[in-house]
Amino acid sequence: HDNVIKRLGSPTFSTDEVSWAFAIESAYHSGMEIFDNEFVGAVDLNASLCGTYDGVEYEYATWMHDNVFGADPDPKEAYDNATYEETAIILEWRTEKTLIERNMISGYNQALYFNVREGVYDFTFRNNECTKLGGNAGSMLRMDGHGADMRVENFTLTDNLFEGDPDAMSGFGIIV
């Protein structure tokens, strides 16, 4: 908590230059709390699992709250690149008992993106302010499921503001 975390450089994914878009990338965690931070770049969480590890029982896999996400000062440069989307929060593989609340997200193509293979269980996204979203046919919130056993159970979106950027049209509002 209480960090300023900025990914370096402009995020590009060409064969000549590679710059990761992540401010944080984490895998296989329980009881992770991320709060009171400022981010430029994505927070990418893989396999947010809840359970008992080393004798400690966790009530949640991830609790992310009271953070400020702000894209590059001129995110429209990314919008001009048809192959790139900048996302604030990425959840991959499997997401269990995750609460994301009271965050401010501004200037991204997407606020939240699920790239899950094994499912989403007990997920809540509430009281978040997501503004100036859009560009590159992005969506404000998007879920892509992969795999025959992919399931979604107890998925809650409540009391959020999703607002597009009038200068960078979004392809969709919410895709689940």
Side-chain angles (χ1 to χ4, degrees):
H1 65 89
D2 296 322
N3 299 290
V4 175
I5 304 172
K6 298 181 179 185
R7 58 137 170 77
L8 297 176
S10 177
T12 58
F13 297 97
S14 69
T15 55
D16 298 330
E17 179 183 354
V18 175
S19 173
W20 294 104
F22 310 130
I24 293 178
E25 184 171 23
S26 177
Y28 297 99
H29 53 269
S30 281
M32 179 185 286
E33 184 175 4
I34 302 170
F35 65 100
D36 290 335
N37 298 293
E38 293 181 30
F39 296 107
V40 172
V43 171
D44 187 345
L45 304 177
N46 291 274
S48 299
L49 307 174
C50 194
T52 302
Y53 300 95
D54 294 328
V56 177
E57 185 174 342
Y58 295 98
E59 293 182 30
Y60 55 85
T62 306
W63 181 23
M64 186 181 307
H65 60 93
D66 301 299
N67 297 291
V68 175
F69 290 81
D72 286 334
D74 187 6
K76 293 185 182 45
E77 290 179 16
Y79 298 161
D80 294 336
N81 183 347
T83 62
Y84 181 72
E85 293 181 3
E86 183 151 30
T87 302
I89 302 168
I90 303 167
L91 302 171
E92 297 192 68
W93 292 102
R94 182 179 176 105
T95 299
E96 299 176 356
K97 291 190 178 178
T98 295
L99 173 58
I100 300 175
E101 63 180 344
R102 300 186 312 266
N103 297 287
M104 295 180 63
I105 299 170
S106 183
Y108 288 83
N109 296 94
Q110 299 177 128
L112 179 62
Y113 174 57
F114 291 87
N115 186 14
V116 291
R117 283 79 162 180
E118 297 178 13
V120 178
Y121 304 91
D122 298 316
F123 174 82
T124 300
F125 191 82
R126 68 180 178 208
N127 301 313
N128 296 286
E129 185 175 306
C130 308
T131 61
K132 293 181 69 177
L133 301 174
N136 190 25
S139 54
M140 296 179 191
L141 182 149
R142 177 178 169 183
M143 180 181 293
D144 289 335
H146 307 280
D149 296 328
M150 210 304 265
R151 296 176 56 143
V152 176
E153 295 179 6
N154 197 18
F155 184 91
T156 304
L157 299 174
T158 186
D159 297 319
N160 298 290
L161 169 66
F162 292 99
E163 183 176 84
D165 183 339
D167 296 325
M169 297 212 25
S170 185
F172 303 96
I174 296 174
I175 300 175
V176 177

